[in-house]
Amino acid sequence: MSTETSESAALPPTRPSSTPSRRTFIATTSAAGGVIAAGGLVAAPSLLGLEEAAAAEAPPSSRVSLTVNGKRYTVTVDNRTSLLDLLREHLGLTGSKKGCNAGACGACTVLVDGRRVNSCLTLAVRLEGAEVTTVEGLAKGDQLHPLQQAFIDQDAFQCGYCTPGQIVSGVGCMKEGHTGSAEEIREWMSGNICRCGCYVKIVRAVEQASGRK
């Protein structure tokens, strides 16, 4: 009598599994256009729905007309756009520098209707009809503004990053009449930081341009 046991007799009969395999599950999910999410299968939003959602979330924008360095511009910008970003990103006027972007260093100083402002803190949409002067608008052709020339004469810069803001602020300081003494100039120019420490020469440049030296 044979003692060998056939393989079919030794193994229990297989039963079809009620749980789909990983491969089957992924194939089914992909075919249904769904995504796997915590808790089960969730239908993916349609492309049209995504476009509608993006349109609904688009930030509000406005048209603004202003004069920059004697040239009239009309642009449509995000309502959150700063004057600094309008000048640099939209109008290509990169003389005004983005330093701290928080109104603390003065590198972005421009003149708005003759007054000094930190352009990084000024919303562009609030300047309808305003007249803006940047460092690019100070010279008359090849003739430098007296303060620009004074900065060269007095060697009032090193790295030059703060220089555009220093010069524009100095022009504003002279227009405001705050150049009676070196101490007064330092006080009214104190919002402009020079990380290279050229303060003595900057004051001398303002004194020269204002006729005090």
Side-chain angles (χ1 to χ4, degrees):
M1 183 174 179
S2 174
T3 59
E4 294 181 3
T5 306
S6 68
E7 185 175 344
S8 59
L11 297 176
T14 58
R15 296 179 180 178
S17 173
S18 61
T19 304
S21 68
R22 180 174 178 273
R23 178 176 296 177
T24 303
F25 179 72
I26 292 175
T28 303
T29 302
S30 300
V35 293
I36 299 175
L41 192 65
V42 180
S46 67
L47 183 59
L48 180 60
L50 288 175
E51 291 174 350
E52 291 175 347
E57 294 176 3
S61 59
S62 300
R63 286 170 64 85
V64 59
S65 295
L66 68 167
T67 302
V68 181
N69 299 332
K71 186 176 179 180
R72 189 74 170 175
Y73 294 91
T74 299
V75 293
T76 300
V77 293
D78 182 326
N79 288 351
R80 301 166 297 181
T81 302
S82 68
L83 173 57
L84 177 60
D85 284 338
L86 172 66
L87 294 171
R88 293 180 59 84
E89 307 299 332
H90 295 262
L91 305 185
L93 298 172
T94 56
S96 304
K97 303 305 181 187
K98 182 176 284 192
C100 65
N101 207 32
C105 72
C108 67
T109 304
V110 300
L111 301 178
V112 176
D113 295 330
R115 294 176 59 252
R116 294 181 283 176
V117 302
N118 292 317
S119 59
C120 70
L121 297 183
T122 305
L123 288 176
V125 294
R126 299 187 63 184
L127 298 179
E128 178 66 33
E131 205 163 310
V132 179
T133 303
T134 71
V135 68
E136 292 95 336
L138 295 178
K140 295 181 179 179
D142 294 333
Q143 182 180 356
L144 295 177
H145 186 281
L147 186 55
Q148 290 175 309
Q149 185 61 55
F151 262 68
I152 295 172
D153 296 342
Q154 297 294 336
D155 194 22
F157 52 87
Q158 288 188 34
C159 78
Y161 194 84
C162 76
T163 302
Q166 296 278 2
I167 291 176
V168 174
S169 185
V171 170
C173 187
M174 291 190 295
K175 287 184 176 181
E176 295 160 12
H178 298 304
T179 58
S181 65
E183 291 74 18
E184 186 178 14
I185 293 171
R186 280 196 293 269
E187 175 66 26
W188 287 91
M189 290 283 291
S190 60
N192 291 79
I193 295 174
C194 174
R195 302 185 192 280
C196 298
C198 290
Y199 295 112
V200 172
K201 294 181 178 181
I202 289 171
V203 170
R204 288 175 183 169
V206 175
E207 287 180 316
Q208 175 182 318
S210 62
R212 293 194 65 251
K213 280 195 174 183

